[in-house]
Amino acid sequence: MKKVLFLAVLLFIITGCGEKKEEQEPCYPITGGSFNIIFETNSDTSSIPSISVCIACSPDSYEDLPIIDDYYKESSGWGFVGWYYDSELTKKVEGTSTLDIKPVPNDPKCVTDYNDITLYAKWEKIIAD
């Protein structure tokens, strides 16, 4: 009798405590969408507008990642090293195009939207010759 009662309680818990669950519509992955790449230059004198990346567009529509100009390097003594995925500057972006930036789904179970991505500029002091 105790086993039957235990199994009944266990089944009750597993099935949602007797609540009727709403049926969800099936999710069909969408090929497309877009996301923004936001550039954090880590500089007081340089800013770069964000780029919108269209996932469904043809590969020739992808833009090159910006390179911060040489004027800043010459006037400040600091050189632009590259873009990083994290503010700690440990995960370098491999590649030079927005095509190389992989989109992050907002909901991995149902890919209909993508998160914006912030890239961080890394600088290093230029040693004079």
Side-chain angles (χ1 to χ4, degrees), residues 80-124:
F80 175 70
V81 175
W83 294 107
Y84 287 74
Y85 288 106
D86 60 320
S87 59
E88 293 79 25
L89 308 175
T90 60
K91 298 175 187 155
K92 187 170 182 164
V93 172
E94 301 300 330
T96 59
S97 168
T98 56
L99 182 62
D100 300 313
I101 307 299
K102 303 300 176 215
V104 178
N106 191 20
D107 179 359
K109 296 176 187 169
C110 184
V111 181
T112 59
D113 190 19
Y114 298 90
N115 293 321
D116 290 344
I117 295 174
T118 300
L119 299 182
Y120 301 86
K122 181 174 182 179
W123 301 88
E124 66 182 24

Side-chain angles (χ1 to χ4, degrees), residues 25-64:
E25 291 184 32
C27 172
Y28 302 101
I30 295 175
T31 304
S34 65
F35 64 96
N36 294 312
I37 299 176
I38 301 161
F39 299 99
E40 174 54 60
T41 62
N42 293 321
S43 163
D44 293 336
T45 61
S46 182
S47 67
I48 298 173
S50 62
I51 296 175
S52 182
V53 179
C54 172
I55 295 170
C57 297
S58 63
D60 60 349
S61 67
Y62 289 95
E63 299 179 47
D64 288 337

Side-chain angles (χ1 to χ4, degrees), residues 71-82:
Y71 172 77
Y72 186 78
K73 176 170 68 173
E74 291 171 10
S75 65
S76 70
W78 289 85
F80 175 70
V81 175

